[in-house]
Amino acid sequence: MARTDEGTTLGYEQARDELIEVVRRLEAGGTSLEDSLALWERGEELAKVCRRWLEGARARLDASLADESAEQDGSGGAEAQ
């Protein structure tokens, strides 16, 4: 499993799929303590990447909904006059 540098951006789906594989390997067992710790650390990194993508998506949705609401409020006021 290749590690990515902090400067390299993983896409959400890529990070999620790799995280699933990490969890599968940890649940299967049979790895040394050192390998298990390395997998756990990688899983934590991948979970952070996924969380950042989801938070960004949520912010974009919230901004879009706020813009839409502001446009409706603005046009609604013009119609009332």
Side-chain angles (χ1 to χ4, degrees):
M1 160 179 17
R3 284 192 173 265
T4 58
D5 299 330
E6 285 298 318
T8 304
T9 303
L10 286 174
Y12 172 78
E13 289 83 4
Q14 185 180 4
R16 182 201 60 211
D17 291 346
E18 188 176 340
L19 180 56
I20 290 168
E21 179 61 19
V22 165
V23 170
R24 187 196 64 73
R25 290 180 61 193
L26 285 169
E27 288 179 340
T31 58
S32 68
L33 177 59
E34 191 62 33
D35 288 344
S36 293
L37 288 172
L39 284 168
W40 180 271
E41 290 168 346
R42 181 62 179 160
E44 289 290 329
E45 292 172 13
L46 293 165
K48 287 178 188 176
V49 169
C50 290
R51 194 169 21 252
R52 277 188 237 116
W53 274 106
L54 292 172
E55 288 169 353
R58 168 56 77 187
R60 288 176 61 190
L61 285 170
D62 289 345
S64 178
L65 291 172
D67 289 348
E68 186 178 300
S69 178
E71 288 175 7
Q72 287 177 353
D73 289 346
S75 66
E79 291 173 3
Q81 291 179 358

